Amino acid sequence: MKSEIKRAFRNKFFLFYFGVGLLFILLGYILLITIDKVTNITYSDISLSVYTVFSQFGPMIYTALTITLISSDYKDKNIVFYREMGNNSVKYFLKKVGIIFIISFITSIFVACIISLFYKELSMLLPYFLKLEAVLLSFGIINLIVVFIFKDFTKSFFINLFLWIGGIVLAGTNKKLSFLAYFDASMKNYNTFEQIIDKKILNPYALVANDYLFVIIILAISLIFSYIFMKRWWKNGIQ
């Protein structure tokens, strides 16, 4: 795992990922003053705006960055090296998830600290951090399993884009399919989070627990796929 972290730093992945997170804070602020015409921006305003940017723009912008973690390995035939080092497809996939976990953790806590400390809302720092982290982990894992299977950067990017948009459309037509757009601003999850930010719900951790249960389910399904497509992983890495 140490080599994965060093490699992610060396190829500037950590820098780009973290930089996008900071830009999202700025974008959240800009949207408030330009589109929503908010003049007196409160903690509730900025925290929800930034969260919306992460959940709405993240699946598009971060996807292009995340899938390079695997597509570059396929392109450079690095899978042979991973296999010689004793890695199977599941272990390899978990290492990539580990990179996403580390950098999303750093990004989420930093964003949460900037907003919460600026407005002196320390009571909301932990719930807000956990919420952002759940969002980044959820679509990060989905991005990874798609490129794991389909190999090609362009194909994987548009499949992820299709899944994201398709999920929102299907969830909007049938409430039973709301899990397909779990973190989207049009879903009940967002409305509950908005009430937490406005302190109309005093215990935020029930929602957080549901969020991470969702993330765990996605991870479990992805690990199953990484095992099922073990031969494809090897084939993608040598062709």
Side-chain angles (χ1 to χ4, degrees), residues 2-195:
K2 287 183 180 179
S3 61
E4 290 290 326
I5 296 173
K6 289 180 180 179
R7 184 182 174 197
F9 271 107
R10 190 168 57 249
N11 62 20
K12 305 297 190 298
F13 176 82
F14 275 75
L15 178 63
F16 290 134
Y17 197 104
F18 182 72
V20 169
L22 297 182
L23 286 175
F24 279 177
I25 299 177
L26 180 61
L27 182 56
Y29 175 79
I30 291 173
L31 290 176
L32 283 173
I33 61 176
T34 57
I35 296 179
D36 297 328
K37 305 298 181 182
V38 179
T39 55
N40 183 26
I41 299 176
T42 64
Y43 171 78
S44 177
D45 293 330
I46 189 64
S47 58
L48 288 173
S49 181
V50 172
Y51 172 77
T52 301
V53 171
F54 269 90
S55 61
Q56 300 288 78
F57 291 91
M60 184 165 50
I61 297 176
Y62 272 128
T63 292
L65 185 60
T66 301
I67 59 181
T68 61
L69 286 175
I70 291 180
S71 65
S72 60
D73 281 342
Y74 284 151
K75 182 179 179 181
D76 297 334
K77 305 295 187 293
N78 289 335
I79 304 304
V80 176
F81 167 77
Y82 278 101
R83 192 168 181 178
E84 289 180 351
M85 294 297 293
N87 295 279
N88 57 27
S89 60
V90 177
K91 189 175 181 180
Y92 169 84
F93 184 77
L94 277 174
K95 285 185 175 181
K96 301 303 180 180
V97 172
I99 292 296
I100 293 297
F101 172 77
I102 292 170
I103 186 54
S104 63
F105 182 96
I106 295 171
T107 302
S108 298
I109 194 66
F110 200 85
V111 170
C113 282
I114 290 175
I115 297 174
S116 298
L117 291 175
F118 184 82
Y119 284 92
K120 298 180 181 179
E121 285 284 353
L122 296 182
S123 63
M124 293 304 299
L125 194 157
L126 182 58
Y128 193 68
F129 151 67
L130 290 172
K131 188 67 174 176
L132 290 179
E133 174 70 354
V135 171
L136 293 177
L137 279 176
S138 64
F139 61 69
I141 294 170
I142 294 172
N143 295 162
L144 288 176
I145 195 59
V146 168
V147 70
F148 178 93
I149 296 171
F150 293 99
K151 180 183 178 179
D152 181 70
F153 176 91
T154 304
K155 184 188 294 184
S156 299
F157 177 80
F158 282 104
I159 289 173
N160 273 299
L161 196 63
F162 174 79
L163 290 174
W164 172 49
I165 297 174
I168 294 173
V169 172
L170 290 173
T173 58
N174 189 336
K175 290 184 179 180
K176 292 182 179 180
L177 298 176
S178 61
F179 65 91
L180 295 176
Y182 185 80
F183 292 107
D184 190 78
S186 62
M187 296 294 112
K188 182 180 178 181
N189 182 279
Y190 177 86
N191 294 330
T192 304
F193 184 58
E194 185 176 18
Q195 292 181 55

Side-chain angles (χ1 to χ4, degrees), residues 134 182-183 206-220:
Y182 185 80
F183 292 107
L207 180 64
V208 168
N210 288 334
D211 290 346
Y212 281 89
L213 176 60
F214 180 75
V215 172
I216 291 170
I217 291 172
I218 291 176
L219 178 58

